[in-house]
Amino acid sequence: WSVGVAIGSSQMGLGLGEYQLLSEAEKQKAVLAAESAFLSAGADFTIASMKELPDLVETINDLLQQGKKPGVK
């Protein structure tokens, strides 16, 4: 499974300090743009930050238990 992580990614093109200086609306726009690019490039999932990864791993484990495989919708 491939996962795009928006905040801190080269796709977003902002360092953490630069990201933190953005308004909430600008942060949301930057995250959505990065996530959209990841999905267009074939990512199975996107998350805003690594904080979301443990929950996503649980979701992926549930999908595996159901016999699902990456890249198959």
Side-chain angles (χ1 to χ4, degrees), residues 4 32 39 53-54 62 67 69:
L32 291 174
L39 292 171
L53 189 58
D62 290 342
K69 297 181 181 181

Side-chain angles (χ1 to χ4, degrees), residues 6-7 12 19 22 25-38 46-49 52:
I7 298 171
M12 183 177 281
Y19 175 78
L22 298 176
E26 291 170 322
K27 287 177 183 177
Q28 184 177 12
K29 184 177 178 181
V31 168
L32 291 174
E35 289 179 335
S36 177
F38 288 139
T46 64
I47 55 178
S49 72
E52 298 173 32

Side-chain angles (χ1 to χ4, degrees), residues 8 25 43 52 58 61 64:
E52 298 173 32
E58 286 185 32
N61 284 336
L64 289 169

